[in-house]
Amino acid sequence: MWLPEGCMEQASRMALLETRKYSQGSALGGVNPDLASERQTPSFSVEKLTALLDGGEENTRIRRAVVEAIESDPVFSRENQYFQSQNEKYEAAVRKAVHLQKKVHEMGWTENGPEFKYIYRALSGEVAFLLHTIFMRSISVLGSDKQIVKWIPLAMQYQLIGSYAQTELGHGTYLQGLETTAVFDIATQEFILNTPQISAMKWWPGDMGRSATHTVVFAQLYVRGKCYGVHPFIVQIRSLWDHSLCPGITAGDIGPKMSFEHTDNGYLMLQNVRVSRENMLSKFCEVQPDGTYVRRGSQQINYFTMTAARVALISHEAVIPLMKACTIAIRYSVVRRQSKLKPGEEEAKILDFQTQQEKLLPHLAAAYAFHFISNYLQDLFNRGYEEIQRENFNMLPELHAFSSGFKAIVTQYCASAVEVCLRACGGHGYSLLSGLPSLCTRILASCIYEGENTILFLQTARFLIKCFMAASAGHPVPPSVTYLAAVKPGKCPAKSKFDFLSPDIYTQAYRHAAVRLISSTAAKLQVLIQTGVKKHNAWNECTVQLVQAVKAHCHYITVKNFAETVERLETKGGIQKIMKHLCHLFALHGIFSNAGVFLHDGHISGAQMDMATASYLDLLAVIRKDAVPLVDAFDFTDKTLNSALGSYDGQVYQRLYEWAQKSPTNTQMNPAYERYLKPLLHKKRSKL
């Protein structure tokens, strides 16, 4: 077994970290021996893997410092949040958001500084004014220099609170269908905004219900009766003096939701609301004083803010919740003992059962795979943003397609995986105190907001079909899809189960599946059109297969990126070896779970599928040995996890009991006793 270099030094450092990071469990009797034993002989350096995930040791140091600063401040406490009402959660989120501004100033953190990106993680997203950032991003990307100079300083200093009003009661992801109108009045040099019918009411914008003073409203622009499509407008909705609604504005909270109780998602109706001509964001399009409409660049730029939101969402609202869920479920699974593997022995840790391993370990591998694909997308986005700043819009289609497809597949996978983690913890997983139900409901929302997943899959499908047709005709395509033009591979060459531990073998299988599904769907589409079916009807008849093709494409890119990332890793510290195991497991889990896709045309034979399955099951036992160190490397503090099941010390049962005592139902008089229970029990005195 490999032991980390300088193990004495590392043990000392980790002991200090544990004292700082996990001290809240010390009163419960130290670390559970079953959990402590899992950390005795990891095959890799946990600290080095944490640094890899953070992008370097310095980033780890900075992140931990931010977490320490946030968690040591009582204003940011999450204690007792499971017992709070919606109003209490909203008030706490606003209190944290306001205090955060003071904290940022006190700590000397700046928006462009290295600490800023870790604040949201440290707060677990439970803070108000998150749409304020998107409000500013919209102005920065879509606004003119003059508009940026006017609005951004006000927003940075919180002299206003911004929101982002795109989604309507009757329209969501389909921007072209939005019904809110903005009519240019040449006489007054103003736009008149209206909500023409109830389906046009803005619905769901965060911070809109009770907090925001301003918002970016997306509306259909009309000049002299001609519609120029959807454009963004800055609209004031509440007074900066007394927070009352402005004339013509109707706004409020949309009511109870499955999760995000702290976020005052709102509605907005506009009745003849007038804004200055300068309030239409005009970096790429403008209405001049005489009513002349001028466009500069691509109309797709209006989608860019959503693209940015989707890229950020993948990490914050999908990958990190999956990491948390895996941490909770795996730690609990080595503390919980149930049934016997061998007669005469004590009850086994449930993670020693292959079925529990198969429930959890592939999702642990997926958490790492999606972390690396999130980094890939962020790099792609950064390159695209630089090009847009130069007014080069060539990367926009690829960027939009990738952010859409990966937002859809990652959130869909993670939502399912987090639910599996919850169910893998049995009855205790269903308790809010486990931390899993809130992760489950929160991540489920990510499948819907910032674009409903099926629609996003189909937007990516249009890009893929277009690229496939171009590649087939010998035309250039973006680098990410050049594989569509490559020579189609033959049969899978695997001869034994060990061959399926070769990235070349399984990456080729994924590429083959993606090309086959994209090409066969494109062919079906062409046949339908050639036989007289109208294009829109032909498209609709292919949508199920198009979604399947996009999933295959995204899965292929994720596997390929994981394998290439692992290949670039240093061999020191045992990191590359354990990452190879995880990469193999992620890839083979996909083949095992989607066997029909790979068997369909014989690229993988039935016998080879048996080999792949054997390798897949072998890997479960290999990764089982390092399961706890692998989730420890995610480096979540107990306060961040906020889970009675997932704490570092593994004192599950004591913590469940202690936390339950804090429930108002256990600290207040029973309101039903005097009114209902007492009359019921006393109507006839029991002989007992």
Side-chain angles (χ1 to χ4, degrees), residues 26 34 56 60 205 233 336 385 414 495 500 529 577 658 665:
S26 60
D34 281 338
T60 298
F233 302 83
R336 180 73 172 189
Y385 185 64
C414 290
K495 298 286 193 297
F500 278 99
I529 293 169
K577 184 177 180 181
E658 286 190 8
T665 58

Side-chain angles (χ1 to χ4, degrees), residues 60 77 89 118 149-150 174 191 198 227 254 258 273 296 329 354 431 443 513 538 569 593 614 624 641 662 680:
T60 298
S77 172
K89 288 181 179 179
Y118 299 121
V149 168
K150 175 181 178 179
Y174 183 58
F191 295 102
I198 191 167
C227 181
I254 65 170
M258 195 172 179
V273 175
R296 297 179 287 273
Q354 190 186 55
S431 167
I443 202 169
L569 295 177
S593 304
R624 157 68 186 93
L641 286 177
K662 300 175 184 179
L680 176 68

Side-chain angles (χ1 to χ4, degrees), residues 2-14 45 48:
W2 178 89
L3 288 174
E5 306 131 352
C7 57
M8 291 298 291
E9 179 186 346
Q10 180 171 316
S12 171
R13 185 167 64 248
M14 290 304 293
S45 165
K48 280 184 168 59

